[in-house]
Amino acid sequence: MKILITGGAGFIGSHVVRRFVTKYPAYQIFNLDALTYAGNLENLKDIQKSENYTFLKGDITDAKYIDSIFKEYNFDSVIHLAAESHVDRSITDPLAFVKTNVIGTMNLLNSAKESWKNNFKGKRFYHVSTDEVYGSLGANGLFTESTSYDPNSPYSASKASSDHFVRAYGETYGLPYIITNCSNNYGPNHFPEKLIPLFINNIIHKKSLPVYGDGNYTRDWLFVEDHATAIDLAYHKGENHETYNIGGFNEWKNIDLVKLLCKLMDVKLNQKEGESEKLITYVKDRPGHDLRYAIDASKINKELGWEPSVTFEQGLEKTIDWFLQNQDWLDNVTSGDYKEYYSKMYQ
Ligand code: NAD
Ligand code: TYD
């Protein structure tokens, strides 16, 4: 079995690559990544010498290159995670999201279709997507697999578009696919532009914690390794042409999450309770900010037997410990371009 995993040097992709390389020694895992600002081979240094692992540096927007690697390696399946993934960046540069998330996905679909055209049996195109494609919930209700798509940000619009193309290739050409839509992830290797790692880094450096708007926005948080477990299960046991929602029934208002994080950080840093909370600063809201995301994960639970392995408090503690023990990683990724991004974003 030769599996092409895209975006494997990123946050979630690195956990998926590690899981597949170590758990399935008989599989050949090919990690294709362009190593953008979000991709970092440091994330995989423990498995880089494994015999069943190959890294391919390349860009999914380059159709010729994608075609060439399908011809060279004859992949049996694809697990597609490569994407531009940050909502705030999509507001300042939407076209980059169209290029990678839409055109890049199209290139992979076209090459897979061409490479597998004589026999789709045993082949699988696994597309990793997000709950953000469903848009925003009010105070009640959950996203199910039949909720209509209603994306509000350029990021979620580009992911929704890629989901539609994957589904269309399944309906039109019979390409065997699976799509999973997951809620917000957190955990080790999370790039510090997203809420949790950004705030951990800022607390360490005693910088302000920029809470958007009134902080009463709700997200549904899942530990990244639980997402990797769900992907493993859906890849092996999921039905073709199906979609599965993934989430931990773990909704938090941003401000409550930030206060919990501050409390845990005070303990870890041996500070007086309340020290970190003093850093909270309410800032201008994100345009088009979705009020609430919340996933109904009962389908993947009932049909495939998946459930999260850690509570939020356990996952958050593991995450904080990882960041405190890996300050070199944090210092590396927050040097260079990051400084410019940060000052533009939070000036
Ligand atoms: P990330 O930004 O941390 O990593 C993305 C990876 O893709 C990086 O390694 C980057 O170098 C690579 N990449 C970007 N553009 C590329 C290109 N043109 N060609 C090849 N590689 C390229 O993202 P993440 O948070 O790990 O998300 C991975 C996937 O999971 C994305 O598809 C995202 O939409 C989806 N997802 C993320 C979350 C979340 O909370 N982070 C939740 C649900 C779904
Ligand atoms: P984020 O981690 O960017 O994920 P997403 O926008 O994909 O859900 O943001 C999570 C929530 O935190 C979201 O409601 C926006 C908010 N947020 C802040 O309040 N301040 C910040 O600096 C960031 C990055 C996010």
Side-chain angles (χ1 to χ4, degrees), residues 86 132 184 193 195 198 210 212 219 254 286 289 346:
H86 189 36
E132 304 194 22
N184 285 61
E193 63 186 354
L195 181 74
L198 177 81
Y212 296 162
R219 297 292 181 265
N254 290 344
R286 171 190 279 174
H289 199 166
Y346 296 104

Side-chain angles (χ1 to χ4, degrees), residues 1 13 18 43 46 89 94 117 143 153 241 291 318 334-335:
M1 172 84 78
R18 178 176 299 99
N43 295 348
D46 53 324
R89 288 185 192 254
K117 68 181 172 205
F143 296 133
S153 72
H241 296 217
L291 179 65
K318 278 183 184 216
T334 53
S335 62

Side-chain angles (χ1 to χ4, degrees), residues 62-81:
D62 181 347
K64 273 199 188 132
Y65 171 74
I66 298 299
D67 236 13
S68 74
I69 58 170
F70 269 83
K71 288 203 175 92
E72 183 172 353
Y73 298 108
N74 278 312
F75 306 119
D76 297 292
S77 56
V78 176
I79 304 178
H80 175 35
L81 296 109

